[in-house]
Amino acid sequence: MVATTLQTLDRGLAALSLLAEAPAGLKPAELAERLEVHKAIAYRLLSTLEAHSLVRRLPDGRAVLGTGLIPLASRVEKQRLAAAAPLLATLSAVTRTTSCLVLADGANAVVALVHEGGDGFLRVTYRLGVRHPLTRGAPGLAILSGRPPSDDEPPGVQQAREQGYALTRGELQPGAVGIAAPVPAEGIEAAVSVVALQELPPDAAQQVVSCADAIGALW
Amino acid sequence: MVATTLQTLDRGLAALSLLAEAPAGLKPAELAERLEVHKAIAYRLLSTLEAHSLVRRLPDGRAVLGTGLIPLASRVEKQRLAAAAPLLATLSAVTRTTSCLVLADGANAVVALVHEGGDGFLRVTYRLGVRHPLTRGAPGLAILSGRPPSDDEPPGVQQAREQGYALTRGELQPGAVGIAAPVPAEGIEAAVSVVALQELPPDAAQQVVSCADAIGALW
């Protein structure tokens, strides 16, 4: 890896990490010392980062992280959603149900992506952006089952952990049944879920688990 | 600026921006073309970004933004809070009240920093992390007053906009009076606020406005 990286870029990114660890920011001389580079190099690294809004200079010359990082970070999740969308579409096609991707946000689950499906007269679907506590519904239980066991987890989480998916009936909506599996990924908590009126195909759970694993491999 | 920046770092950061604009990610050849560099350079830029978790490679070779950006972005706000803390402490000292910094989060205001103050027998204070709608309380009205006027803004916002601060009595807590001013800053919505039982010193509003302006200048 070392042979194929670029020293100047590597130093600039190391500067970002050092600034992230310094709540009050760093003076150029401090940064130069920590990076073990000449002070003139530290100035040029900071100027370059500043030109991209990734660093901001305080009136006393200290450098802190800049707001340009915030939109970049928000794109990370958008790219993950874009990558997951075709896999959800396939899941809907093979299970003939509506499928969705749910993200954990604090103590809540948020519906982040929906692919409508099902060929009956009536169709049940998730509303994009809706939130519900992680302690309710298959997607919430699936996300909790991806965490280490805890004493205060709701009933059903341990079972979901053992079987690899959560199945709930009528928890979020009377008459609806949901199956959800956690997405195995670093740095994000998510679940793939399908929902149907009353009955799901016999292999739906296996399809949901496979889809969640495939999304985890992509992420 | 150009003369003092570093081309390799600049290209690496430009690559991050290009990846942010490509929801499905970019192949190294596509990135090379957009950056107008040789493909070998694009590979090395990506490898370097990947080594810092700022880029992730999908199984088909496309590069997308990596999760390393998320903790960096979260530090931006932590550094802002750290920078504001001593100014809040000064505000509490000169007004002999509890002061706080409130951030907008969606439709809510969140208490992000508190400096307790006041020398009476009883002290009123904010609870760190508490949320309330922006439409209630001096900090919420102050944040709304920092936005352009709108038809559905609550009463008091226009007055706060004109005088530079919001003053409320008993809105969040019976018996408490609050004064808050918006922090003039890019990329973040915040207000500085003081709270007291019944009465605030006559120059409190001016002190709050000065503190908010000073924090804005730092940010």
Side-chain angles (χ1 to χ4, degrees), chain A residues 31-51:
Chain A
L31 183 67
E33 197 182 317
R34 295 187 196 190
L35 287 174
E36 298 179 10
V37 300
H38 193 276
K39 205 170 148 181
I41 296 287
Y43 270 108
R44 293 175 71 189
L45 290 171
L46 288 173
S47 295
T48 309
L49 291 165
E50 194 179 7

Side-chain angles (χ1 to χ4, degrees), chain A residues 131, chain B residues 102-110 130-137 139-141 143-144 147 152 154 172 189:
Chain A
R131 289 166 176 265
Chain B
V102 169
L103 301 181
D105 181 18
N108 289 308
V110 183
V130 79
R131 288 167 178 267
H132 62 81
L134 287 176
T135 50
R136 282 180 57 209
L141 300 185
I143 286 171
L144 292 177
R147 299 181 181 173
D152 60 351
L172 292 175
E189 289 186 310

Side-chain angles (χ1 to χ4, degrees), chain A residues 24-89:
Chain A
L26 291 174
K27 292 182 181 167
E30 294 171 323
L31 183 67
E33 197 182 317
R34 295 187 196 190
L35 287 174
E36 298 179 10
V37 300
H38 193 276
K39 205 170 148 181
I41 296 287
Y43 270 108
R44 293 175 71 189
L45 290 171
L46 288 173
S47 295
T48 309
L49 291 165
E50 194 179 7
H52 290 262
S53 299
L54 302 183
V55 155
R56 197 166 44 87
R57 304 295 286 273
L58 300 180
D60 68 359
R62 279 179 295 132
V64 296
L65 294 179
T67 51
L69 288 160
I70 295 172
L72 284 178
S74 76
R75 295 299 174 110
V76 176
E77 294 208 349
K78 284 190 187 129
Q79 289 185 334
R80 298 211 209 219
L81 294 183
L87 296 172
L88 272 193

Side-chain angles (χ1 to χ4, degrees), chain A:
Chain A
M1 180 63 79
V2 174
T4 64
T5 60
L6 297 162
Q7 188 187 41
T8 305
L9 176 55
D10 187 64
R11 282 176 175 164
L13 302 179
L16 282 183
S17 295
L18 288 169
L19 291 171
E21 291 159 15
L26 291 174
K27 292 182 181 167
E30 294 171 323
L31 183 67
E33 197 182 317
R34 295 187 196 190
L35 287 174
E36 298 179 10
V37 300
H38 193 276
K39 205 170 148 181
I41 296 287
Y43 270 108
R44 293 175 71 189
L45 290 171
L46 288 173
S47 295
T48 309
L49 291 165
E50 194 179 7
H52 290 262
S53 299
L54 302 183
V55 155
R56 197 166 44 87
R57 304 295 286 273
L58 300 180
D60 68 359
R62 279 179 295 132
V64 296
L65 294 179
T67 51
L69 288 160
I70 295 172
L72 284 178
S74 76
R75 295 299 174 110
V76 176
E77 294 208 349
K78 284 190 187 129
Q79 289 185 334
R80 298 211 209 219
L81 294 183
L87 296 172
L88 272 193
T90 302
L91 178 63
S92 283
V94 297
T95 59
R96 298 177 170 231
T97 61
T98 293
S99 62
C100 82
L101 186 74
V102 169
L103 301 181
D105 181 19
N108 289 309
V110 184
V111 177
L113 204 59
V114 175
H115 196 281
E116 289 202 18
D119 43 15
F121 185 69
L122 295 175
R123 173 182 284 182
V124 57
T125 187
Y126 296 93
R127 198 150 46 84
L128 203 61
V130 78
R131 289 166 176 265
H132 61 81
L134 286 177
T135 51
R136 282 180 57 208
L141 300 186
I143 286 171
L144 292 177
S145 78
R147 298 182 182 174
S150 83
D151 288 343
D152 60 351
E153 65 189 19
V157 173
Q158 182 55 33
Q159 192 188 347
R161 194 173 288 124
E162 284 161 10
Q163 67 195 10
Y165 62 89
L167 190 159
T168 61
R169 293 180 187 279
E171 275 198 22
L172 293 175
Q173 183 77 45
V177 50
I179 293 180
V183 175
E186 290 281 316
I188 188 167
E189 288 187 309
V192 168
S193 181
V194 294
V195 64
L197 292 165
Q198 306 303 348
E199 285 313 317
L200 281 160
D203 66 342
Q206 188 47 50
Q207 300 285 359
V208 170
V209 170
S210 298
C211 179
D213 288 347
I215 290 173
L218 262 188
W219 286 1

